[in-house]
Amino acid sequence: QVQLVESGGGLVQAGGSLRLSCAASGSFYRINIMGWYRQAPEKQREFVATITDGGSTSYAESGKGRFTISRDNAKNTVYLQMNSLLPEDTAVYYCYAQAMARLSGWGNYWGQGTQVTVSS
């Protein structure tokens, strides 16, 4: 199995920055895709950004130019640098990984989430 632990959320004023981190641990052969999704109150979970183990990135339109995703494969850790934050970025941010676990094969895994609150 794969466990994902996020950190770095918090309260920030509009225009500020936050850096989220997510470390993967457990028993797995490979993590292909790592990324971030978010869920605001009374809204569905939505895509934020992903990065492959080869470094290819993808961003939601809402974060382009403001968010940067990066990854340290040696540490099995993914980061999300968020700049110029807006109140509408307020949400619980969830780490995601697509990994090949030793016992169960390929699967999708989620972290517990970290709250990001942007005040106006």
Side-chain angles (χ1 to χ4, degrees):
Q1 293 292 353
V2 180
Q3 293 81 44
L4 302 174
V5 178
E6 303 106 332
S7 61
L11 173 64
V12 64
Q13 288 189 330
S17 299
L18 281 175
R19 188 191 193 211
L20 306 183
S21 300
C22 171
S25 62
S27 183
F28 52 87
Y29 293 110
R30 178 189 171 196
I31 300 178
N32 179 21
I33 299 171
M34 296 189 82
W36 297 91
Y37 286 70
R38 69 186 183 185
Q39 187 167 16
E42 300 182 3
K43 291 189 177 181
Q44 290 191 334
R45 191 172 297 189
E46 65 177 10
F47 166 76
V48 176
T50 54
I51 184 168
T52 69
D53 53 359
S56 295
T57 59
S58 181
Y59 294 92
E61 284 297 325
S62 59
K64 284 183 179 178
R66 301 188 299 124
F67 296 176
T68 302
I69 191 169
S70 60
R71 178 172 173 171
D72 185 335
N73 289 331
K75 295 181 179 179
N76 294 313
T77 299
V78 63
Y79 307 94
L80 185 68
Q81 177 66 43
M82 303 186 292
N83 299 327
S84 303
L85 283 161
L86 304 169
E88 48 263 47
D89 293 318
T90 295
V92 177
Y93 283 69
Y94 294 91
C95 180
Y96 163 80
Q98 182 187 83
M100 179 177 244
R102 292 185 186 274
L103 294 180
S104 56
W106 285 107
N108 298 312
Y109 299 89
W110 295 92
Q112 292 286 83
T114 185
Q115 176 71 45
V116 171
T117 303
V118 184
S119 64
S120 57

